[in-house]
Amino acid sequence: MDWIKKHTDQFALGLLAFILVALSVLIVLRTQSFAEGFSTAMTTPPHSKEVPPLEMAPIESAQKRFAQPTQWAQKDKAGSLFVSLNLIVDEAGALKKADVGDLVSGLRKIPKAWLILHGLDNLSPAVLDEDPDKDGFTNYEEYIGPDLAETGEDSTDPKDKASHSPYYTKLFLERWIKIPFLVTFQSHDGDPKNPKGMTFAINAISRAVTTEFLELGQMVKNSKFKLEKFEEKKQKVNEVDEDVSELSIRNTESGEVVVLVLGKKTDSPDSYASFRYFWPDNSKPEKIEPKRLGQFALKPEVQQLYKLVDIKDDGAVIQLPGGEKTYNVPLLKRALELQKKSQ
């Protein structure tokens, strides 16, 4: 150790020389085995005429994705990706969605959501009276639907010309034109339990013989009517039984039966209704005046015949084509009052 301390430079030089010799030997050894690392790559690969099978699963998966591209799925009432929500400023100055609540015009109202669903303006009250599909029914009438109910459940499509309420819902009774019947039932005599043996006083107004006493089965003079049936009836009036018996007479030509009430004036079958038909233009209603029990048609379905079954002070009853159902025609006066209030 004393020698190393005295000859430090010589020791360091010798150590360095030893390290260089060791590294030289290591490099020589490494170069001898260098070719062995490329032996596999340098060998000639075997030749084959068979083509390995192609993996088609990734290709088929890509083709399916191409045939069915990703679709943008919009949630109900979630708005549109490209169109902002309709917003309005309320009375308090705050923003709120315009499709909330109802669009109101007088007594009429339509849910704004229903208007938006059908692509209609949900901000203008004038939209209630518009008719985008030109079928003769306004948006409000389309919303009310066939049952004239104040719900949207039975609404029709305001943009589909084939979708609308029945045409007869546009019919209203303006007035009942009464014509007095020329035959009145004045009195009766005999036992009501044996009508065939009774006599009935018939007043034939404006005829040569004003009063006749007839039995069942006989004809009213100078007329087409024959006495057919008698039915005794009583009605309490101020604790007193009032005779309201009925005598039925039949028109021998038409077969129509008219019921005469004792001592009461009866309206003639020739009484008729004066209707107003608001199709296709509400501002230009058509006048239709059929006789009671008479038939009439409504445009545009002129081949369909309706029958005026009855007329009353508060409306009329018509029989629908096919004869199975009836419809109560409302008064025009009432409809106009509601329309005036809604403006």
Side-chain angles (χ1 to χ4, degrees):
M1 295 295 293
D2 292 339
W3 187 86
I4 295 175
K5 292 179 179 179
K6 292 180 179 180
H7 302 86
T8 303
D9 52 346
Q10 294 179 5
F11 176 76
L13 183 62
L15 181 60
L16 179 61
F18 176 77
I19 293 172
L20 290 174
V21 171
L23 291 173
S24 299
V25 173
L26 181 61
I27 291 172
V28 171
L29 294 175
R30 289 282 187 181
T31 56
Q32 290 178 352
S33 62
F34 181 76
E36 295 178 1
F38 295 93
S39 60
T40 303
M42 295 177 65
T43 59
T44 302
H47 294 283
S48 175
K49 294 183 179 180
E50 296 183 1
V51 179
L54 182 63
E55 181 62 37
M56 297 297 295
I59 299 176
E60 292 174 354
S61 176
Q63 286 178 336
K64 291 180 179 179
R65 291 196 301 270
F66 179 78
Q68 298 178 348
T70 303
Q71 299 289 332
W72 170 259
Q74 178 177 327
K75 295 182 179 179
D76 294 340
K77 300 182 181 179
S80 172
L81 177 65
F82 305 104
V83 181
S84 66
L85 296 174
N86 286 332
L87 301 176
I88 60 175
V89 180
D90 60 16
E91 296 179 356
L95 286 175
K96 69 176 184 179
K97 292 175 66 176
D99 60 349
V100 175
D102 299 322
L103 181 63
V104 180
S105 176
L107 298 179
R108 301 176 301 169
K109 61 181 180 180
I110 295 182
K112 293 182 179 179
W114 185 86
L115 294 170
I116 293 176
L117 175 66
H118 294 284
L120 303 172
D121 186 357
N122 69 320
L123 299 178
S124 172
V127 73
L128 275 71
D129 297 310
E130 293 175 355
D131 181 14
D133 57 6
K134 306 300 181 185
D135 61 359
F137 292 82
T138 65
N139 289 328
Y140 180 68
E141 291 169 336
E142 299 267 13
Y143 166 69
I144 290 177
D147 294 334
L148 300 181
E150 289 293 338
T151 68
E153 296 178 358
D154 296 325
S155 299
T156 53
D157 190 344
K159 290 193 173 180
D160 182 358
K161 196 169 184 177
S163 174
H164 55 73
S165 298
Y167 290 106
Y168 56 78
T169 60
K170 304 280 281 184
L171 190 68
F172 295 88
L173 176 64
E174 182 178 30
R175 62 193 180 103
W176 176 11
I177 302 176
K178 303 178 182 180
I179 300 177
F181 195 43
L182 298 180
V183 176
T184 58
F185 176 25
Q186 296 290 83
S187 64
H188 58 83
D189 183 34
D191 185 4
K193 295 181 180 180
N194 182 26
K196 292 184 179 181
M198 298 179 64
T199 58
F200 306 93
I202 304 299
N203 188 351
I205 303 173
S206 75
R207 287 183 169 85
V209 180
T210 57
T211 303
E212 297 178 86
F213 296 92
L214 304 173
E215 297 178 359
L216 293 182
Q218 292 183 326
M219 297 287 296
V220 178
K221 193 173 182 179
N222 300 327
S223 78
K224 303 172 184 177
F225 291 95
K226 179 175 68 173
L227 277 61
E228 185 171 84
K229 178 183 177 182
F230 172 77
E231 185 176 357
E232 184 182 34
K233 289 187 177 182
K234 301 290 185 179
Q235 177 179 315
K236 284 282 187 182
V237 178
N238 297 326
E239 302 301 326
V240 178
D241 286 336
E242 180 179 342
D243 191 347
V244 290
S245 298
E246 297 178 350
L247 178 65
S248 299
I249 60 176
R250 179 181 295 274
N251 187 319
T252 55
E253 291 187 356
S254 66
E256 179 184 356
V257 175
V258 179
V259 178
L260 305 178
V261 180
L262 181 65
K264 305 291 185 182
K265 291 183 179 180
T266 303
D267 294 315
S268 168
D270 291 334
S271 298
Y272 58 95
S274 182
F275 290 127
R276 289 294 181 274
Y277 183 46
F278 289 81
W279 189 92
D281 189 349
N282 284 341
S283 64
K284 298 177 181 179
E286 177 187 359
K287 179 184 289 189
I288 301 175
E289 295 185 339
K291 287 185 178 182
R292 190 171 72 86
L293 302 181
Q295 293 183 322
F296 63 97
L298 297 176
K299 297 176 181 178
E301 299 175 335
V302 294
Q303 73 281 3
Q304 301 285 340
L305 294 180
Y306 299 82
K307 183 178 181 179
L308 177 57
V309 177
D310 196 9
I311 316 171
K312 300 179 181 179
D313 290 329
D314 59 349
V317 180
I318 62 174
Q319 187 179 71
L320 304 184
E324 297 179 357
K325 297 181 180 180
T326 60
Y327 172 72
N328 295 320
V329 180
L331 282 176
L332 174 61
K333 181 180 179 181
R334 179 59 178 161
L336 293 178
E337 289 175 353
L338 292 175
Q339 183 179 8
K340 185 175 181 181
K341 290 181 180 180
S342 69
Q343 294 176 348

